[in-house]
Amino acid sequence: MKRVGVIGDPVEHSLSPHMHNAAFGELGIDAFYELWPTPLPGLGDRVASLRLPDVLGANVTVPHKQAVMPFLDRVTETAQRIGAVNTVIPSPEGLIGDNTDAHGFQRSIEETFGPVQIDSAVVLGAGGASRAAIVALRMMGVENIDIANRTDARAAALAQEFAAEMIPWSEVVAESFPDAELLINATSLGWHDEMPVLMDDLKRLPHRAIVVDLTYRETPLLRAAADCGRRGLDGLGMLVHQGARAFELWTGMQAPVGIMQESVRAEQARRG
Ligand code: ATR
């Protein structure tokens, strides 16, 4: 039996074992996805263990997405742009570090809304999740990207790196919302039922605007967007599609996305 796992600290909450084991079962692949909790001092040994012949690959999560890089033989351009590795693929040339989050973001939008032409987007937040979203927006050909963050300086640094525009947090609603076809909440607000902006602020968005919250469930922001007649999308599809991409890199087989999505929803429902 082959093994795959997620390297992080902690990893117990991860939904990945559920979706990947469902996918292995569906395709009859003799492999199992494990939890690999790894404190930082053990990271080098853990990555070295991925070179064993029974290992199909790995995911990497918080807090090791950057720290893992020096232990790998190659880091893809996408992972370098995002500045984080979430997937490791053993190959004849050694261990390759990739990042499938931007792909997952793009596929999730396309799957939900079909091919969309977006010229202007606003990203709230300037952490790791924002970086993946911004790389995805660039892959999608979005021309104008405004970035706003509670700490303006972090938004400014990101804006400079990705040739985007920094908008002061206090001005983003008035400044950016009227032209935004896509609003992405990549702040950590939403996990605990807070809103990054007010409900009335959402009314400043064009009617055709899409509101994306990277949290894996319906948030107050998405409920407010629906109440204002704007389309919304949570981060669950992105989670599934980043996993599907990783699955394909490990197995060379097309991922059963529907089964993966179902298993994640079932596990979420079970957890309540
Ligand atoms: P991740 O990797 O998930 O993006 P992160 O790097 O910790 O996590 O980033 C969290 C984001 O949420 C940051 O943009 C953070 O803003 P700061 O850079 O000012 O810290 C944002 N955030 C967290 N709490 C917030 C709050 N109460 N109001 C507004 N933004 C908040």
Side-chain angles (χ1 to χ4, degrees):
M1 163 159 328
K2 300 275 192 189
R3 294 182 302 135
V4 189
V6 55
I7 299 171
D9 187 20
V11 289
E12 285 66 30
H13 62 283
S14 175
L15 291 166
S16 294
H18 301 274
M19 69 175 165
H20 286 293
N21 285 327
F24 290 142
E26 173 70 12
L27 299 188
I29 297 174
D30 187 23
F32 193 71
Y33 192 110
E34 303 174 338
L35 294 174
W36 292 336
T38 307
L40 184 59
L43 184 58
D45 286 346
R46 175 69 75 188
V47 176
S49 77
L50 304 181
R51 299 178 191 277
L52 294 171
D54 65 331
V55 174
L56 212 51
N59 281 131
V60 183
T61 190
V62 178
H64 299 323
K65 288 182 174 197
Q66 282 101 37
V68 73
M69 289 189 189
F71 299 111
L72 302 171
D73 300 298
R74 185 163 80 79
V75 174
T76 64
E77 198 190 324
T78 305
Q80 285 178 34
R81 286 183 77 196
I82 298 175
V85 163
N86 80 335
T87 303
V88 179
I89 309 119
S91 80
E93 51 172 316
L95 295 177
I96 300 172
D98 199 358
N99 193 309
T100 61
D101 281 339
H103 171 89
F105 180 92
Q106 183 176 5
R107 284 290 303 123
S108 176
I109 297 231
E110 289 169 355
E111 179 185 57
T112 312
F113 303 110
V116 281
Q117 170 68 36
I118 294 161
D119 293 321
S120 297
V122 180
V123 178
L124 303 178
S130 306
R131 294 183 69 92
I134 292 165
V135 170
L137 294 176
R138 285 287 179 236
M139 281 164 42
M140 292 162 70
V142 177
E143 194 116 343
N144 308 308
I145 303 176
D146 288 354
I147 308 172
N149 191 51
R150 175 180 62 176
T151 313
D152 290 337
R154 290 185 81 196
L158 263 193
Q160 175 155 23
E161 188 176 339
F162 290 99
E165 187 104 12
M166 188 284 267
I167 308 294
W169 183 248
S170 57
E171 291 166 31
V172 67
V173 173
E175 185 84 10
S176 306
F177 278 29
D179 297 319
E181 294 153 303
L182 186 61
L183 170 69
I184 301 168
N185 175 32
T187 70
S188 39
L189 295 176
W191 291 103
H192 303 289
D193 280 352
E194 319 91 328
M195 298 253 291
V197 291
L198 304 173
M199 171 138 174
D200 273 352
D201 295 339
L202 295 175
K203 295 179 180 155
R204 309 284 283 270
L205 294 167
H207 282 282
R208 67 180 184 287
I210 295 170
V211 178
V212 177
D213 200 321
L214 299 184
T215 310
Y216 302 154
R217 58 182 170 80
E218 195 189 46
T219 58
L221 179 70
L222 292 176
R223 278 195 290 277
D227 288 346
C228 299
R230 271 52 169 194
R231 295 175 294 172
L233 179 66
D234 69 28
L236 197 79
M238 179 177 170
L239 172 76
V240 169
H241 282 287
Q242 67 74 29
R245 173 77 154 199
F247 184 94
E248 291 173 359
L249 291 168
W250 298 326
T251 65
M253 295 171 81
Q254 195 176 345
V257 174
I259 296 286
M260 295 171 82
Q261 187 123 16
E262 250 174 56
S263 69
V264 167
R265 284 201 195 285
E267 176 59 17
Q268 266 192 322
R270 197 188 65 78
R271 292 181 190 183

